[in-house]
Amino acid sequence: MDTYLQAGLDALGDATRMAIFQRLANGPLAVNEIADTLPVSRPAVSQHLKVLKDAGLVQDRRDGTRRLYQLDPEGVARLRAHFDQMWTKALSSFQEAVEKPAKEVRGGKQRGSSRRN
Amino acid sequence: MESSVEAAVVIKSVRVKASRERAFSVFVEQMETWWPATHHIQKDPFELIVVEPRVGGRWYERTVTGQECDWGTVQGWDPPNGVRLSWHVGPGHDSPDWVADMDPAKASEVEVRFTAVDEGTTVVELIHSHLERHGEGWEQLRALFDGPGAWVSILEAFAKKVDEEDAL
């Protein structure tokens, strides 16, 4: 396979994923319904859906005998929950550190000597 | 969809019994004394967390053996009023771990403001915004909605190329 075609394939990987997004934006679909409207095989669509699912952008659910895929608006919500938790923890121990008498704060760590400037 | 992107902000505040100067100093100069030890990127825990005191400065963790890993860069430096940092640590798309991606398009932003209530009390407000930039595909997704058809033409061009190849 020549490099031009390879580059085209790489672009297709991305483009296909985008095309899948676009279709799912209009509502939930099964793998075959997505594949029918795209010039790629059903296994390839499944592979892209897996990437999207791992990235937290798509979720799937069982609908009778079919598995339906839909956009997952919770992807960002999960990120948000993570950072919310992190900063809650961080700011509460920051408060503790800042309210300690100054001489207790440093555990004898030397800073500055090996810092890159 | 759009509403969840707009909601990709975390806002926190804490009131501390300290001057603004002290609060600012502990925040940026002694971060390793209060940062949750569970939140580090490298295999080994950090010994230091450094925020270089200037715009363009690095924000990084350093292990006891001197291994460094950047978390972000200083975008705004205004002691003791506040500091603005870019944050590059997000979920790794090829790994279960969190990783630092130094692509500016993948960075969120952390702004911290220090407001004096009185001489010995400071309110510290933290706003971590643009969290959606850590989610793979959100930007492209928005771009897609902004410009439908862009990808369709790529697909068509590719399909045409494949047809040519098949004809050879």
Side-chain angles (χ1 to χ4, degrees):
Chain A
M1 192 185 290
D2 67 44
T3 52
Y4 180 85
L5 187 59
Q6 185 59 55
L9 270 176
D10 292 344
L12 176 72
D14 213 30
T16 302
R17 222 173 292 169
M18 292 304 138
I20 291 171
F21 262 141
Q22 199 167 32
R23 279 152 182 76
L24 291 178
N26 299 323
L29 292 169
V31 174
N32 61 316
E33 291 171 318
I34 301 168
D36 287 350
T37 63
L38 291 172
V40 284
S41 67
R42 210 180 289 191
V45 169
S46 294
Q47 200 54 44
H48 284 303
L49 283 167
K50 186 182 180 311
V51 173
L52 296 173
K53 202 175 144 180
D54 289 347
L57 298 173
V58 162
Q59 55 192 186
D60 58 347
R61 60 183 165 90
R62 193 162 279 298
D63 176 45
T65 56
R66 304 192 311 158
R67 184 165 290 283
L68 288 180
Y69 289 84
Q70 60 195 37
L71 291 188
D72 182 3
E74 297 304 305
V76 162
R78 272 200 302 277
L79 272 171
R80 195 178 168 277
H82 169 90
F83 286 116
D84 196 278
Q85 225 177 357
M86 182 182 92
W87 286 118
T88 299
K89 218 191 304 186
L91 287 182
S92 107
S93 53
F94 165 74
Q95 182 178 34
E96 231 173 281
V98 92
E99 290 179 355
K100 269 184 198 168
K103 63 177 187 302
E104 286 182 31
V105 169
R106 276 261 162 257
K109 279 177 195 159
Q110 289 303 307
R111 77 189 290 140
S113 55
S114 50
R115 283 169 76 169
R116 300 207 313 233
N117 279 315
Chain B
M1 179 66 60
E2 201 51 39
S3 62
S4 60
V5 170
E6 280 166 18
V9 175
V10 168
I11 301 171
K12 295 274 161 199
S13 77
V14 64
R15 181 182 282 240
V16 296
K17 295 187 199 71
S19 67
R20 267 197 321 170
E21 287 72 14
R22 173 159 170 77
F24 186 91
S25 150
V26 171
F27 197 97
V28 296
E29 293 168 16
Q30 303 171 21
M31 203 177 269
E32 69 280 350
T33 65
W34 55 268
W35 190 268
T38 45
H39 284 76
H40 58 92
I41 310 183
Q42 300 178 96
K43 194 162 53 66
D44 298 329
F46 56 78
E47 185 204 25
L48 276 186
I49 302 172
V50 178
V51 178
E52 293 179 338
R54 61 173 184 277
V55 171
R58 296 165 62 217
W59 180 18
Y60 63 94
E61 64 174 47
R62 203 179 76 205
T63 66
V64 72
T65 56
Q67 297 293 309
E68 293 176 359
C69 183
D70 282 38
W71 289 4
T73 53
V74 179
Q75 305 290 315
W77 182 257
D78 181 22
N81 300 308
V83 62
R84 203 153 44 81
L85 305 154
S86 67
W87 169 277
H88 292 262
V89 183
H93 301 305
D94 308 318
S95 74
D97 298 326
W98 284 59
V99 295
D101 183 336
M102 293 316 280
D103 174 357
K106 298 274 179 65
S108 54
E109 190 169 275
V110 178
E111 181 166 0
V112 194
R113 294 192 203 123
F114 300 81
T115 310
V117 179
D118 56 45
E119 216 168 294
T121 314
T122 303
V123 170
V124 182
E125 288 172 293
L126 182 138
I127 300 164
H128 192 166
S129 56
H130 293 298
L131 298 176
E132 77 280 359
R133 292 180 188 163
H134 295 294
E136 190 209 14
W138 285 91
E139 287 199 333
Q140 296 95 309
L141 186 57
R142 273 215 300 275
L144 178 71
F145 290 134
D146 290 346
W151 291 108
V152 175
S153 58
I154 292 176
L155 272 181
E156 284 171 353
F158 178 77
K160 198 165 144 238
K161 175 75 188 165
V162 171
D163 290 346
E164 284 169 15
E165 294 280 330
D166 287 346
L168 292 178

